[in-house]
Amino acid sequence: MKVIISGYGRMGHMVEKELARRGIELVAASEDICSVDPAVAKECVVIDFTWPDAFRANYPFIAKHFKAAVVGTTGWNDIEADVFKAFEEAGTPLIYASNFSLGVNALFAAVERVSKMLKGNGYTPAVEETHHIHKLDAPSGTAKSLGKLLEEGLGVEPEITAHRIGEVPGIHTVTYTSEVDKLTLTHEAFGREGLAAGAVAAALLTEGLKGVHEFKELL
């Protein structure tokens, strides 16, 4: 497998290290993915950690020219249908996630299960997230995903609170509060290594894959 990284910031550098650790070829790391030669792109999986506006501009090129795509950029939920259609029509596999950490995806599974168990029993859900001050979107894509799971499973729209403090890699907490007790589920990242490892694992899953998939569906 060959990989091109789209977005060479902190996450891009972390993905580069994970690729090297696994012995996977990195062809290029680009801040302008649309400048990549289409002939080269066709042989590569792109791992995208950019920012919302960049992905909105770049996804048509990525869908048309790359062998497959792994997208960790968030903040494009409102154009989700257009993005999925572009990849499906191009026949380019896409794996996306609001968070590629295996621990966070375990939290997604737990929230989905617990919400269904507690539905109709008087619990009020809430999501609280904290990230570093450099993160552009608030609340985070992960918090929005947790909120969606809570609303689908519990039938109640949760309050979502976002904090931007220092260099915090990421903390997500889900609470269920009733008149008699409170249940708390928390995931705390110690760094970005878990995100990079999950993204590279997703890239490996694109081999032989067809269609558009959320990462948690493939675990």
Side-chain angles (χ1 to χ4, degrees), residues 190-217:
F190 299 146
R192 296 176 177 83
E193 290 85 356
L195 298 171
V200 173
L204 291 168
L205 290 174
T206 63
E207 292 292 336
L209 191 69
K210 295 182 179 180
V212 174
H213 303 270
E214 190 169 6
F215 184 49
K216 67 185 181 69
E217 299 170 359

Side-chain angles (χ1 to χ4, degrees), residues 169-190:
I171 304 171
H172 292 88
T173 298
V174 175
T175 56
Y176 301 83
T177 305
S178 73
E179 293 183 356
V180 297
D181 61 7
K182 180 178 182 180
L183 173 63
T184 302
L185 301 172
T186 297
H187 176 273
E188 179 176 358
F190 299 146

Side-chain angles (χ1 to χ4, degrees), residues 4-210:
I4 292 178
I5 296 172
S6 176
Y8 199 43
R10 296 184 180 192
M11 272 307 306
H13 283 82
M14 198 65 68
V15 170
E16 181 180 22
K17 289 181 180 179
E18 180 65 15
L19 290 170
R21 188 184 73 81
R22 295 196 182 205
I24 298 171
E25 181 180 352
L26 175 62
V27 174
S30 176
E31 292 287 2
D32 180 14
I33 200 67
C34 295
S35 67
V36 173
D37 183 342
V40 175
K42 208 63 182 175
E43 299 181 351
C44 298
V45 178
V46 63
I47 298 180
D48 185 287
F49 281 100
T50 51
W51 52 93
D53 288 345
F55 180 72
R56 288 167 185 270
N58 296 340
Y59 82 83
F61 179 89
I62 292 172
K64 182 178 180 180
H65 295 294
F66 276 86
K67 180 180 178 181
V70 172
V71 177
T73 304
T74 59
W76 49 273
N77 304 69
D78 57 313
I79 61 166
E80 189 175 272
D82 294 332
V83 173
F84 293 171
K85 182 180 179 181
F87 279 88
E88 287 167 353
E89 289 184 347
T92 302
L94 166 65
I95 301 177
Y96 70 98
S98 57
N99 194 310
F100 276 100
S101 161
L102 294 178
V104 166
N105 281 274
L107 176 63
F108 289 156
V111 168
E112 187 172 11
R113 174 69 171 161
V114 170
S115 297
K116 291 177 181 178
M117 291 177 66
L118 297 182
K119 185 177 182 178
N121 288 285
Y123 284 86
T124 300
V127 179
E128 184 173 5
E129 61 97 343
T130 302
H131 278 91
H132 50 85
I133 59 174
H134 312 288
K135 187 167 179 59
L136 299 179
D137 56 329
S140 68
T142 303
K144 291 177 181 177
S145 294
L146 290 167
K148 183 178 180 181
L149 289 172
L150 286 165
E151 188 169 1
E152 291 174 348
L154 205 60
V156 179
E157 184 177 356
E159 178 184 2
I160 301 179
T161 305
H163 307 285
R164 296 291 173 263
I165 301 172
E167 298 296 331
V168 177
I171 304 171
H172 292 88
T173 298
V174 175
T175 56
Y176 301 83
T177 305
S178 73
E179 293 183 356
V180 297
D181 61 7
K182 180 178 182 180
L183 173 63
T184 302
L185 301 172
T186 297
H187 176 273
E188 179 176 358
F190 299 146
R192 296 176 177 83
E193 290 85 356
L195 298 171
V200 173
L204 291 168
L205 290 174
T206 63
E207 292 292 336
L209 191 69
K210 295 182 179 180

